PDB file of all heavy atoms in Angstrom:
ATOM      1  N   ARG F  45     134.527  73.222 186.252  1.00 97.00           N
ATOM      2  CA  ARG F  45     133.563  72.115 186.106  1.00 97.00           C
ATOM      3  C   ARG F  45     133.913  70.891 186.903  1.00 97.00           C
ATOM      4  O   ARG F  45     133.749  69.770 186.568  1.00 97.00           O
ATOM      5  CB  ARG F  45     133.377  71.707 184.695  1.00 97.00           C
ATOM      6  CG  ARG F  45     132.599  72.769 183.854  1.00 97.00           C
ATOM      7  CD  ARG F  45     131.139  72.772 184.044  1.00 97.00           C
ATOM      8  NE  ARG F  45     130.460  73.746 183.200  1.00 97.00           N
ATOM      9  CZ  ARG F  45     129.800  73.440 182.101  1.00 97.00           C
ATOM     10  NH1 ARG F  45     129.678  72.144 181.779  1.00 97.00           N
ATOM     11  NH2 ARG F  45     129.221  74.357 181.485  1.00 97.00           N
ATOM     12  N   GLN F  46     134.596  71.170 188.115  1.00 98.00           N
ATOM     13  CA  GLN F  46     135.049  70.015 188.933  1.00 98.00           C
ATOM     14  C   GLN F  46     133.803  69.366 189.596  1.00 98.00           C
ATOM     15  O   GLN F  46     133.912  68.243 189.979  1.00 98.00           O
ATOM     16  CB  GLN F  46     135.954  70.500 189.982  1.00 98.00           C
ATOM     17  CG  GLN F  46     135.351  71.591 191.097  1.00 98.00           C
ATOM     18  CD  GLN F  46     136.495  72.147 191.904  1.00 98.00           C
ATOM     19  OE1 GLN F  46     137.663  72.147 191.623  1.00 98.00           O
ATOM     20  NE2 GLN F  46     136.095  72.711 193.076  1.00 98.00           N
ATOM     21  N   ALA F  47     132.631  69.981 189.638  1.00 95.00           N
ATOM     22  CA  ALA F  47     131.441  69.418 190.209  1.00 95.00           C
ATOM     23  C   ALA F  47     130.665  69.024 188.904  1.00 95.00           C
ATOM     24  O   ALA F  47     130.256  69.927 188.151  1.00 95.00           O
ATOM     25  CB  ALA F  47     130.659  70.422 191.031  1.00 95.00           C
ATOM     26  N   ARG F  49     129.389  65.656 185.886  1.00 95.00           N
ATOM     27  CA  ARG F  49     129.026  64.394 185.438  1.00 95.00           C
ATOM     28  C   ARG F  49     130.050  63.296 185.405  1.00 95.00           C
ATOM     29  O   ARG F  49     129.835  62.220 185.129  1.00 95.00           O
ATOM     30  CB  ARG F  49     128.403  64.480 184.039  1.00 95.00           C
ATOM     31  CG  ARG F  49     127.011  65.307 184.028  1.00 95.00           C
ATOM     32  CD  ARG F  49     126.584  65.495 182.598  1.00 95.00           C
ATOM     33  NE  ARG F  49     127.487  66.466 182.081  1.00 95.00           N
ATOM     34  CZ  ARG F  49     127.374  66.958 180.806  1.00 95.00           C
ATOM     35  NH1 ARG F  49     126.462  66.532 180.062  1.00 95.00           N
ATOM     36  NH2 ARG F  49     128.197  67.758 180.366  1.00 95.00           N
ATOM     37  N   TYR F  54     127.760  62.656 191.692  1.00 98.00           N
ATOM     38  CA  TYR F  54     126.877  63.605 191.225  1.00 98.00           C
ATOM     39  C   TYR F  54     125.786  62.997 190.276  1.00 98.00           C
ATOM     40  O   TYR F  54     124.608  63.361 190.328  1.00 98.00           O
ATOM     41  CB  TYR F  54     127.784  64.593 190.177  1.00 98.00           C
ATOM     42  CG  TYR F  54     127.031  65.581 189.464  1.00 98.00           C
ATOM     43  CD1 TYR F  54     126.559  66.766 189.925  1.00 98.00           C
ATOM     44  CD2 TYR F  54     126.572  65.371 188.091  1.00 98.00           C
ATOM     45  CE1 TYR F  54     125.798  67.727 189.315  1.00 98.00           C
ATOM     46  CE2 TYR F  54     125.917  66.289 187.280  1.00 98.00           C
ATOM     47  CZ  TYR F  54     125.516  67.439 187.995  1.00 98.00           C
ATOM     48  OH  TYR F  54     124.822  68.373 187.239  1.00 98.00           O
ATOM     49  N   LYS F  58     121.844  63.599 189.929  1.00 97.00           N
ATOM     50  CA  LYS F  58     121.313  63.990 188.558  1.00 97.00           C
ATOM     51  C   LYS F  58     120.143  63.110 188.218  1.00 97.00           C
ATOM     52  O   LYS F  58     119.160  63.601 187.604  1.00 97.00           O
ATOM     53  CB  LYS F  58     122.443  63.964 187.603  1.00 97.00           C
ATOM     54  CG  LYS F  58     121.979  64.325 186.153  1.00 97.00           C
ATOM     55  CD  LYS F  58     123.203  64.289 185.246  1.00 97.00           C
ATOM     56  CE  LYS F  58     122.816  64.168 183.770  1.00 97.00           C
ATOM     57  NZ  LYS F  58     122.417  65.373 183.146  1.00 97.00           N
ATOM     58  N   PHE F  63     117.868  69.525 186.450  1.00 97.00           N
ATOM     59  CA  PHE F  63     118.957  70.426 186.628  1.00 97.00           C
ATOM     60  C   PHE F  63     118.559  71.649 187.467  1.00 97.00           C
ATOM     61  O   PHE F  63     119.339  71.937 188.302  1.00 97.00           O
ATOM     62  CB  PHE F  63     119.407  70.866 185.146  1.00 97.00           C
ATOM     63  CG  PHE F  63     120.591  71.760 185.166  1.00 97.00           C
ATOM     64  CD1 PHE F  63     121.922  71.240 185.442  1.00 97.00           C
ATOM     65  CD2 PHE F  63     120.556  73.050 185.025  1.00 97.00           C
ATOM     66  CE1 PHE F  63     123.062  72.036 185.535  1.00 97.00           C
ATOM     67  CE2 PHE F  63     121.689  73.883 185.040  1.00 97.00           C
ATOM     68  CZ  PHE F  63     122.994  73.287 185.300  1.00 97.00           C
ATOM     69  N   ARG F  66     118.294  70.907 191.044  1.00 98.00           N
ATOM     70  CA  ARG F  66     119.669  70.805 191.718  1.00 98.00           C
ATOM     71  C   ARG F  66     120.151  72.247 191.976  1.00 98.00           C
ATOM     72  O   ARG F  66     120.682  72.512 193.078  1.00 98.00           O
ATOM     73  CB  ARG F  66     120.616  70.085 190.815  1.00 98.00           C
ATOM     74  CG  ARG F  66     120.571  68.615 190.997  1.00 98.00           C
ATOM     75  CD  ARG F  66     121.419  67.927 190.018  1.00 98.00           C
ATOM     76  NE  ARG F  66     120.683  67.565 188.727  1.00 98.00           N
ATOM     77  CZ  ARG F  66     121.170  67.586 187.496  1.00 98.00           C
ATOM     78  NH1 ARG F  66     122.363  67.918 187.278  1.00 98.00           N
ATOM     79  NH2 ARG F  66     120.295  67.364 186.449  1.00 98.00           N
ATOM     80  N   ILE F  90     134.036  75.504 194.055  1.00 98.00           N
ATOM     81  CA  ILE F  90     133.355  76.478 193.263  1.00 98.00           C
ATOM     82  C   ILE F  90     131.801  76.092 193.348  1.00 98.00           C
ATOM     83  O   ILE F  90     131.462  74.940 193.272  1.00 98.00           O
ATOM     84  CB  ILE F  90     133.746  76.440 191.728  1.00 98.00           C
ATOM     85  CG1 ILE F  90     132.814  77.447 190.955  1.00 98.00           C
ATOM     86  CG2 ILE F  90     133.686  75.016 190.986  1.00 98.00           C
ATOM     87  CD1 ILE F  90     133.421  77.932 189.687  1.00 98.00           C
ATOM     88  N   LEU F  91     131.023  77.135 193.715  1.00 98.00           N
ATOM     89  CA  LEU F  91     129.659  76.840 193.844  1.00 98.00           C
ATOM     90  C   LEU F  91     128.917  76.057 192.649  1.00 98.00           C
ATOM     91  O   LEU F  91     129.178  76.470 191.506  1.00 98.00           O
ATOM     92  CB  LEU F  91     128.871  78.288 194.013  1.00 98.00           C
ATOM     93  CG  LEU F  91     127.458  78.071 194.546  1.00 98.00           C
ATOM     94  CD1 LEU F  91     127.577  77.814 196.024  1.00 98.00           C
ATOM     95  CD2 LEU F  91     126.663  79.308 194.213  1.00 98.00           C
ATOM     96  N   SER F  93     126.326  75.804 190.220  1.00 98.00           N
ATOM     97  CA  SER F  93     125.157  76.677 189.793  1.00 98.00           C
ATOM     98  C   SER F  93     125.336  76.680 188.350  1.00 98.00           C
ATOM     99  O   SER F  93     125.902  75.871 187.692  1.00 98.00           O
ATOM    100  CB  SER F  93     125.248  78.035 190.388  1.00 98.00           C
ATOM    101  OG  SER F  93     124.076  78.817 189.997  1.00 98.00           O
ATOM    102  N   ASP F  94     124.819  77.787 187.575  1.00 98.00           N
ATOM    103  CA  ASP F  94     125.033  77.936 186.212  1.00 98.00           C
ATOM    104  C   ASP F  94     124.918  79.387 185.795  1.00 98.00           C
ATOM    105  O   ASP F  94     124.308  80.122 186.360  1.00 98.00           O
ATOM    106  CB  ASP F  94     124.010  77.186 185.290  1.00 98.00           C
ATOM    107  CG  ASP F  94     124.501  76.810 183.940  1.00 98.00           C
ATOM    108  OD1 ASP F  94     125.241  75.854 183.758  1.00 98.00           O
ATOM    109  OD2 ASP F  94     124.279  77.584 183.062  1.00 98.00           O
ATOM    110  N   ILE F  95     125.748  79.712 184.612  1.00 98.00           N
ATOM    111  CA  ILE F  95     125.669  81.153 184.254  1.00 98.00           C
ATOM    112  C   ILE F  95     124.331  81.550 183.811  1.00 98.00           C
ATOM    113  O   ILE F  95     124.011  82.781 183.616  1.00 98.00           O
ATOM    114  CB  ILE F  95     126.758  81.324 183.094  1.00 98.00           C
ATOM    115  CG1 ILE F  95     126.582  80.559 181.893  1.00 98.00           C
ATOM    116  CG2 ILE F  95     128.243  81.118 183.717  1.00 98.00           C
ATOM    117  CD1 ILE F  95     127.427  80.994 180.723  1.00 98.00           C
ATOM    118  N   MET F 108     117.070  73.157 180.458  1.00 97.00           N
ATOM    119  CA  MET F 108     118.271  72.362 180.308  1.00 97.00           C
ATOM    120  C   MET F 108     117.855  70.913 179.791  1.00 97.00           C
ATOM    121  O   MET F 108     117.375  70.177 180.796  1.00 97.00           O
ATOM    122  CB  MET F 108     119.110  72.362 181.543  1.00 97.00           C
ATOM    123  CG  MET F 108     120.476  71.939 181.421  1.00 97.00           C
ATOM    124  SD  MET F 108     121.539  72.933 180.386  1.00 97.00           S
ATOM    125  CE  MET F 108     121.864  74.335 181.307  1.00 97.00           C
ATOM    126  N   PHE F 161     130.500  82.736 191.012  1.00 98.00           N
ATOM    127  CA  PHE F 161     130.866  83.101 189.670  1.00 98.00           C
ATOM    128  C   PHE F 161     129.612  83.665 188.867  1.00 98.00           C
ATOM    129  O   PHE F 161     128.451  83.546 189.331  1.00 98.00           O
ATOM    130  CB  PHE F 161     131.345  81.874 188.892  1.00 98.00           C
ATOM    131  CG  PHE F 161     130.302  80.795 188.603  1.00 98.00           C
ATOM    132  CD1 PHE F 161     129.487  80.813 187.518  1.00 98.00           C
ATOM    133  CD2 PHE F 161     130.084  79.793 189.596  1.00 98.00           C
ATOM    134  CE1 PHE F 161     128.573  79.773 187.301  1.00 98.00           C
ATOM    135  CE2 PHE F 161     129.166  78.804 189.406  1.00 98.00           C
ATOM    136  CZ  PHE F 161     128.407  78.800 188.239  1.00 98.00           C
ATOM    137  N   TYR F 171     123.967  83.443 174.495  1.00 98.00           N
ATOM    138  CA  TYR F 171     122.742  82.541 174.813  1.00 98.00           C
ATOM    139  C   TYR F 171     121.502  83.203 174.635  1.00 98.00           C
ATOM    140  O   TYR F 171     120.453  82.685 174.241  1.00 98.00           O
ATOM    141  CB  TYR F 171     122.977  81.956 176.164  1.00 98.00           C
ATOM    142  CG  TYR F 171     124.076  80.856 176.208  1.00 98.00           C
ATOM    143  CD1 TYR F 171     125.353  81.182 176.806  1.00 98.00           C
ATOM    144  CD2 TYR F 171     123.878  79.688 175.610  1.00 98.00           C
ATOM    145  CE1 TYR F 171     126.356  80.229 176.698  1.00 98.00           C
ATOM    146  CE2 TYR F 171     124.925  78.668 175.634  1.00 98.00           C
ATOM    147  CZ  TYR F 171     126.138  79.036 176.131  1.00 98.00           C
ATOM    148  OH  TYR F 171     127.178  78.081 176.247  1.00 98.00           O
ATOM    149  N   PHE F 224     133.178  84.044 183.619  1.00 98.00           N
ATOM    150  CA  PHE F 224     133.401  83.142 182.535  1.00 98.00           C
ATOM    151  C   PHE F 224     133.021  83.916 181.323  1.00 98.00           C
ATOM    152  O   PHE F 224     131.859  84.037 180.972  1.00 98.00           O
ATOM    153  CB  PHE F 224     132.541  81.926 182.701  1.00 98.00           C
ATOM    154  CG  PHE F 224     133.037  80.979 183.833  1.00 98.00           C
ATOM    155  CD1 PHE F 224     132.537  80.957 185.082  1.00 98.00           C
ATOM    156  CD2 PHE F 224     133.943  79.977 183.452  1.00 98.00           C
ATOM    157  CE1 PHE F 224     132.965  80.223 186.117  1.00 98.00           C
ATOM    158  CE2 PHE F 224     134.447  79.047 184.404  1.00 98.00           C
ATOM    159  CZ  PHE F 224     133.886  79.227 185.781  1.00 98.00           C
ATOM    160  N   SER F 226     133.324  82.481 178.176  1.00 98.00           N
ATOM    161  CA  SER F 226     133.578  81.317 177.445  1.00 98.00           C
ATOM    162  C   SER F 226     133.632  81.520 175.903  1.00 98.00           C
ATOM    163  O   SER F 226     134.218  80.668 175.259  1.00 98.00           O
ATOM    164  CB  SER F 226     132.430  80.296 177.736  1.00 98.00           C
ATOM    165  OG  SER F 226     132.333  80.134 179.128  1.00 98.00           O
ATOM    166  N   HIS F 338     139.895  74.692 180.153  1.00 98.00           N
ATOM    167  CA  HIS F 338     138.461  74.648 180.141  1.00 98.00           C
ATOM    168  C   HIS F 338     137.842  73.712 180.967  1.00 98.00           C
ATOM    169  O   HIS F 338     138.644  72.952 181.692  1.00 98.00           O
ATOM    170  CB  HIS F 338     138.014  74.571 178.662  1.00 98.00           C
ATOM    171  CG  HIS F 338     136.546  75.198 178.426  1.00 98.00           C
ATOM    172  ND1 HIS F 338     135.907  75.010 177.286  1.00 98.00           N
ATOM    173  CD2 HIS F 338     135.772  75.890 179.258  1.00 98.00           C
ATOM    174  CE1 HIS F 338     134.734  75.589 177.351  1.00 98.00           C
ATOM    175  NE2 HIS F 338     134.577  76.141 178.529  1.00 98.00           N
TER     176      HIS F 338
HETATM  177  O1  CP3 R 401     132.541  74.369 187.672  1.00 61.50           O
HETATM  178  C1  CP3 R 401     131.758  73.796 188.453  1.00 61.50           C
HETATM  179  O2  CP3 R 401     131.927  72.618 188.898  1.00 61.50           O
HETATM  180  C2  CP3 R 401     130.459  74.584 188.975  1.00 61.50           C
HETATM  181  C3  CP3 R 401     129.362  74.456 188.182  1.00 61.50           C
HETATM  182  C4  CP3 R 401     129.251  75.058 186.799  1.00 61.50           C
HETATM  183  C5  CP3 R 401     128.145  74.569 185.931  1.00 61.50           C
HETATM  184  N1  CP3 R 401     128.182  75.436 184.881  1.00 61.50           N
HETATM  185  C6  CP3 R 401     127.441  73.301 186.193  1.00 61.50           C
HETATM  186  C7  CP3 R 401     126.749  72.663 184.947  1.00 61.50           C
HETATM  187  C8  CP3 R 401     129.708  76.232 186.240  1.00 61.50           C
HETATM  188  C9  CP3 R 401     130.805  77.094 186.721  1.00 61.50           C
HETATM  189  C10 CP3 R 401     129.175  76.328 185.008  1.00 61.50           C
HETATM  190  C11 CP3 R 401     129.306  77.510 184.125  1.00 61.50           C
HETATM  191  C12 CP3 R 401     128.782  77.414 182.700  1.00 61.50           C
HETATM  192  N2  CP3 R 401     127.591  77.167 182.261  1.00 61.50           N
HETATM  193  C13 CP3 R 401     129.524  78.040 181.597  1.00 61.50           C
HETATM  194  C14 CP3 R 401     130.894  78.638 181.732  1.00 61.50           C
HETATM  195  C15 CP3 R 401     131.963  77.814 181.702  1.00 61.50           C
HETATM  196  C16 CP3 R 401     132.226  77.085 180.477  1.00 61.50           C
HETATM  197  O3  CP3 R 401     132.194  75.754 180.546  1.00 61.50           O
HETATM  198  O4  CP3 R 401     132.655  77.669 179.435  1.00 61.50           O
HETATM  199  C17 CP3 R 401     128.665  77.895 180.482  1.00 61.50           C
HETATM  200  C18 CP3 R 401     129.039  78.355 179.044  1.00 61.50           C
HETATM  201  C19 CP3 R 401     127.419  77.219 180.924  1.00 61.50           C
HETATM  202  C20 CP3 R 401     126.273  77.003 180.115  1.00 61.50           C
HETATM  203  C21 CP3 R 401     125.932  75.535 180.178  1.00 61.50           C
HETATM  204  N3  CP3 R 401     125.391  74.871 181.261  1.00 61.50           N
HETATM  205  C22 CP3 R 401     126.024  74.595 179.130  1.00 61.50           C
HETATM  206  C23 CP3 R 401     126.604  74.875 177.688  1.00 61.50           C
HETATM  207  C24 CP3 R 401     125.648  73.416 179.631  1.00 61.50           C
HETATM  208  C25 CP3 R 401     125.408  72.076 178.963  1.00 61.50           C
HETATM  209  C26 CP3 R 401     126.826  71.406 178.869  1.00 61.50           C
HETATM  210  C27 CP3 R 401     126.849  69.984 178.701  1.00 61.50           C
HETATM  211  O5  CP3 R 401     127.921  69.391 178.457  1.00 61.50           O
HETATM  212  O6  CP3 R 401     125.764  69.308 178.764  1.00 61.50           O
HETATM  213  C28 CP3 R 401     125.213  73.582 181.034  1.00 61.50           C
HETATM  214  C29 CP3 R 401     124.785  72.560 181.908  1.00 61.50           C
HETATM  215  C30 CP3 R 401     125.593  72.289 183.089  1.00 61.50           C
HETATM  216  N4  CP3 R 401     126.072  73.269 183.965  1.00 61.50           N
HETATM  217  C31 CP3 R 401     126.027  71.088 183.588  1.00 61.50           C
HETATM  218  C32 CP3 R 401     126.772  71.148 184.822  1.00 61.50           C
HETATM  219  C33 CP3 R 401     127.369  70.258 185.699  1.00 61.50           C
HETATM  220  C34 CP3 R 401     125.739  69.720 182.887  1.00 61.50           C
HETATM  221  C35 CP3 R 401     124.270  69.308 182.930  1.00 61.50           C
HETATM  222  C36 CP3 R 401     123.914  68.389 184.050  1.00 61.50           C
HETATM  223  O7  CP3 R 401     124.788  68.016 184.950  1.00 61.50           O
HETATM  224  O8  CP3 R 401     122.662  67.957 184.076  1.00 61.50           O
END
Side-chain angles (χ1 to χ4, degrees):
R45 293 281 183 102
Q46 65 191 19
R49 290 170 296 179
Y54 176 81
K58 182 175 157 80
F63 185 73
R66 273 173 274 147
I90 179 160
L91 191 78
S93 189
D94 201 85
I95 63 169
M108 194 62 76
F161 71 89
Y171 286 101
F224 288 92
S226 305
H338 199 190

